[in-house]
Amino acid sequence: MSDAYVVEVGGQTAGIVVRDSKAETFSFFAATRRFHPLEGLEFAEPYAAERAARQLVANFGVLPRVSGAPILDR
């Protein structure tokens, strides 16, 4: 099993999850500000992080924007 996975939602990279060497969890690192609410969260498996990223998008209808953030991550 790999130690790092890319998490994508709708063709956009949401972030990566990296296995913690001391625990059997995966930590999320956001690729863009839009997925920053997930930053640092731990997941039991990579797919759980993908589900959380998809849920974040579903809750906002569109990807949330951080006030003042440039539109570079669309």
Side-chain angles (χ1 to χ4, degrees):
M1 181 181 270
S2 295
D3 290 329
Y5 297 89
V6 174
V7 177
E8 292 185 350
V9 176
Q12 178 181 3
T13 301
I16 62 168
V17 288
V18 179
R19 182 192 309 272
D20 182 344
S21 62
K22 295 181 178 134
E24 289 298 316
T25 60
F26 291 83
S27 296
F28 186 90
F29 296 93
T32 67
R33 289 183 180 184
R34 293 177 175 197
F35 291 98
H36 196 261
L38 301 177
E39 181 77 22
L41 294 181
E42 294 183 355
F43 297 92
E45 60 183 13
Y47 189 66
E50 182 181 333
R51 285 192 307 265
R54 290 181 187 282
Q55 187 63 47
L56 181 66
V57 172
N59 286 346
F60 286 96
V62 295
L63 293 175
R65 289 207 24 89
V66 175
S67 179
I71 308 174
L72 298 175
D73 55 355
R74 281 191 177 183

